[in-house]
């Protein structure tokens, strides 16, 4: 019964909530009315947008020393998670069989494990930094903590199911993934989709005003 | 333990001649039939004769005879038909670490409970002042808690693997335990290398202040404050903390390296290396876990004002005077002490709440 629920209706429900929720959020940003900028353009908005999208991958040299932990742990976590999400053999197979109908060459098992280790280390350090640093602690909302802990739990149940020998452990992982998918559109996890548009938006604004930042 | 290791080495080095094990095993059924002692009506007590089957088995098991097997299969110890030492190792594991680990950890726990009941929290003369000194950087706090989280995860999953069978099967039954054990094994293997990385971060960021110096001996002679009038001299870290640091680093490295040997059996290490690594790993882990319980106690409910240092990076100046008087002098000389208001501002809270929390 539980197996049927997790592999069937709950999975489709989570997918629908995730897709509609993400599209809804993105649409609400795209269609949000912003005031028309009446100032005379001093530079190219498009150029500014592109510049900002890429320049923000590297921290500004003036603040780099203060945020070194976030930068290193942030890259460890995000690259590790990206690699294991889209290139681990069980995930590639899952995407092929359940969603896409096609697959690609997965990474070797050892690379999967190393990616997971990077992701775990990065996430633990990022969350600790959030609670240890007084400013981060102050500006963190409940959502930030729930998003981090939920992601950690999904990764942990995935790690528990690594042997791929038990239906119960696989179901546990899939169940946490479903909860995560349902939570995603209503949380800061949305930054997965919004970080590039938001950089572009700020960059365009800067570019038009001739701000070099 | 010494006898056990001697046996290991003896078994390894005496195997020098070679016999093809396969042919032995083919011969085995015939010979072992002949070896069954036959009772005869004329000899009601039976006949005493050397059992040829036992000789054969001794050869097959490569016990104390000079035999090395040959096999077409290329690989480490593929010529071993029956690994007799494996049984010895398994028995040793069940009779020692599996049996004693819960006892050791239980005793440490009980001693601490007793200590807390009898002595209570180690307080600070005159209480907390509210004036604070920066003790650890943000990075140092993060490194400490990363190490602690990963260590605790490994300790729990490791103990499940070690003593889960006798302790958890009666509670949850075999099926649920098999899930817990499988999950623990995967989790333990994946988090092991993360422990090594956080251990190295701890090594590099804390090493300078943990080198032993002259005044540390006095701390030891006074039993860390438990012998004599109770006031002991200490620098930035006192002798006890430095010793804890080196225990974590050294035993942590031993556990990590032996763990890597166990988790990657495809690098050519044989059974002997694996078995010894396993025992070193288990004993190191039990010792470190037992001492870490003491550390966790001292760092939290055992000592007034300690935890704040690892939470915010700041400690109360009275705490510094009580436990690290030589460093306290430095703090005063370098004007490192900040007021309660300044501390509260830096932490983003009101001064009285910070003080109340501590009290
Ligand atoms: C909840 C559990 C823990 C608490 C409450 C705790 C608390 C503390 C505190 C307050 C300090 C600073 C002491 C000072 O200011 O002098 C400290 C230092 C330290 N802790 Fe922990 N700790 C915990 C777990 C662990 C674990 C599991 C490990 C490693 C296995 C660990 C390793 C260390 C090390 C190496 C130091 C530095 C000691 C030195 O450099 O001399 N801690 N801990």
């Amino acid at each position: 019964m539980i197996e049927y629920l997790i592999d069937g209706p709950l999975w489709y429900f989570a997918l629908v909530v995730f897709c509609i929720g993400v599209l809804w959020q993105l649409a609400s940003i795209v269609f949000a009315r912003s005031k028309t900028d009446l100032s005379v353009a001093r530079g190219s908005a498009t150029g500014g947008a592109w510049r900002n999208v890429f320049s923000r991958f590297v921290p500004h040299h003036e603040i780099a020393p203060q945020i070194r932990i976030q930068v290193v742990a942030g890259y460890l976590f995000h690259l590790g998670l990206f690699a294991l999400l889209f290139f681990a053999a069980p995930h590639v197979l899952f995407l092929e069989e359940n969603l896409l109908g096609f697959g690609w060459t997965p990474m070797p098992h050892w690379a999967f494990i190393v990616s997971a280790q990077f992701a775990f280390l990065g996430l633990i350090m990022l969350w600790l930094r959030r609670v240890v640093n007084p400013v981060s602690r102050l500006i963190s909302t409940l959502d930030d903590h729930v998003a981090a802990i939920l992601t950690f739990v999904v990764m942990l149940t995935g790690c528990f199911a690594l042997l791929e020998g038990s239906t119960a452990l696989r179901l546990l992982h899939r169940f946490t993934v479903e909860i995560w998918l349902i939570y995603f559109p209503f949380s800061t996890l949305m930054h997965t989709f919004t970080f590039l548009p938001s950089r572009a938006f700020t960059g365009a604004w800067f570019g038009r005003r001739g701000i070099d930042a | 333990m010494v006898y056990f290791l001697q046996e290991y080495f003896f078994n390894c080095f005496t195997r020098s001649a070679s016999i093809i094990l396969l042919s032995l095993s083919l011969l085995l059924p015939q010979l072992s039939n002949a070896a069954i002692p036959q009772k005869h009506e004329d000899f009601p007590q039976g006949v005493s004769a050397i059992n040829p089957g036992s000789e054969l088995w001794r050869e097959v098991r490569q016990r104390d005879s000079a035999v090395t097997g040959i096999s077409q299969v290329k690989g480490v110890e593929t010529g071993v038909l029956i690994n007799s030492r494996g049984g010895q190792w398994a028995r040793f594991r069940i009779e020692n670490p599996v049996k004693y680990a819960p006892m050791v950890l239980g005793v440490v726990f009980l001693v601490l409970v007793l200590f807390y009941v009898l002595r209570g929290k180690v307080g600070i003369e005159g209480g907390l002042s509210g004036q604070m000194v920066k003790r650890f950087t943000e990075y140092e706090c993060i490194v400490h808690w990363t190490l602690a989280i990963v260590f605790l995860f490994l300790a729990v999953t490791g103990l499940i693997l070690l003593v889960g069978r006798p302790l958890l099967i009666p509670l949850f039954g075999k099926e649920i335990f098999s899930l817990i054990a499988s999950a623990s094994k995967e989790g333990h293997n994946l988090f092991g290398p993360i422990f090594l990385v956080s251990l190295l971060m701890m090594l590099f960021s804390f090493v300078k202040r943990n080198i032993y110096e002259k005044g540390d001996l006095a701390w030891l002679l006074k039993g860390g404050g438990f012998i004599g009038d109770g006031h002991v001299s200490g620098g930035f870290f006192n002798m006890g903390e430095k010793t804890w640091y080196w225990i974590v680093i050294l035993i942590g490295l031993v556990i990590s390296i032996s763990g890597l040997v166990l988790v990657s059996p495809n690098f050519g290490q044989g059974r002997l290396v694996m078995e010894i690594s396993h025992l070193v790993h288990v004993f190191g882990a039990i010792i470190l876990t037992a001492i870490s319980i003491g550390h966790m106690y001292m760092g939290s409910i055992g000592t007034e004002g300690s935890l704040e240092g690892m939470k915010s990076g700041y400690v109360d100046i009275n705490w510094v005077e009580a436990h690290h008087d030589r460093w306290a002098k430095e703090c005063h000389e370098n004007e490192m002490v900040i007021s309660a208001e300044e501390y509260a501002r830096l932490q983003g809270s009101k001064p009285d709440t910070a003080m109340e929390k501590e009290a």
Side-chain angles (χ1 to χ4, degrees), chain A residues 111-145:
Chain A
F112 172 19
I113 299 297
V114 172
S115 313
Q117 286 160 339
F118 281 160
F120 271 117
L121 180 65
L123 183 54
I124 293 172
M125 291 185 77
L126 283 175
W127 183 76
L128 283 172
R129 200 242 166 214
R130 188 183 280 288
V131 291
V132 166
N133 182 284
V135 177
S136 298
R137 192 170 59 228
L138 216 62
I139 60 173
S140 293
T141 60
L142 179 66
D143 173 30
D144 292 316
H145 297 292

Side-chain angles (χ1 to χ4, degrees), chain A residues 66 69 113 116-117 120-121 124-125 127-129 132-134 137-138 152 156 159-163 166 168-169, chain B residues 138-139 141-142 145-146 149-150 153 179 182-183 185-187 189-191 193-194 197 201 311 346-348:
Chain A
Q66 283 112 296
I69 303 171
I113 299 297
Q117 286 160 339
F120 271 117
L121 180 65
I124 293 172
M125 291 185 77
W127 183 76
L128 283 172
R129 200 242 166 214
V132 166
N133 182 284
R137 192 170 59 228
L138 216 62
F152 184 83
L156 195 64
C159 161
F160 286 161
L162 265 175
L163 199 63
S166 145
L169 292 175
Chain B
E138 185 180 299
Y139 176 70
C141 294
I142 294 173
W145 292 119
T146 305
I149 290 172
V150 175
F153 179 81
L179 296 181
S182 165
K185 181 189 157 278
E186 295 305 322
N189 288 356
L190 195 132
F191 272 72
I194 308 179
V197 173
M201 292 196 288
K311 265 167 56 189
L346 289 171
Q347 293 300 308

Side-chain angles (χ1 to χ4, degrees), chain B residues 135-136 144-145 147-148 151-152 202 206 210 237 241-242 244-245 248 288 292 295-296 299-300 306-307 310 319 324:
Chain B
R135 183 160 171 79
F136 298 116
H144 172 266
W145 292 119
L147 183 73
F151 177 84
L152 290 175
M202 170 62 85
F206 281 68
N210 278 294
F237 283 127
E241 288 167 338
K242 287 180 183 177
W244 165 238
Y245 171 85
V248 171
L288 195 54
S292 78
H295 168 73
M296 287 186 263
S300 56
S306 279
L307 191 57
M310 267 305 167
W319 178 90
H324 306 272

Side-chain angles (χ1 to χ4, degrees), chain A residues 14-107:
Chain A
L15 265 189
V16 168
V17 171
F18 175 79
C19 293
I20 294 183
V22 167
L23 286 176
W24 182 271
Q25 294 273 30
L26 290 178
S28 67
I29 293 169
V30 171
F31 296 117
R33 272 204 221 157
S34 55
K35 272 190 235 154
T36 318
D37 194 341
L38 298 173
S39 63
V40 179
R42 294 193 182 163
S44 153
T46 316
W50 281 111
R51 200 171 52 239
N52 209 43
V53 162
F54 290 104
S55 70
R56 290 297 190 264
F57 279 112
V58 182
H60 199 273
H61 64 89
E62 277 177 6
I63 55 160
Q66 283 112 296
I67 59 165
R68 201 167 284 145
I69 303 171
Q70 281 132 288
V71 173
V72 175
Y75 271 110
L76 276 180
F77 167 64
H78 285 99
L79 292 179
L81 187 64
F82 179 80
L84 76 87
L85 202 56
F86 294 109
F87 293 98
H91 293 164
V92 174
L93 197 66
F94 178 84
L95 291 172
E96 181 177 357
E97 285 177 355
N98 291 280
L99 273 177
L100 305 172
F102 63 89
W104 47 89
T105 313
M107 58 185 171

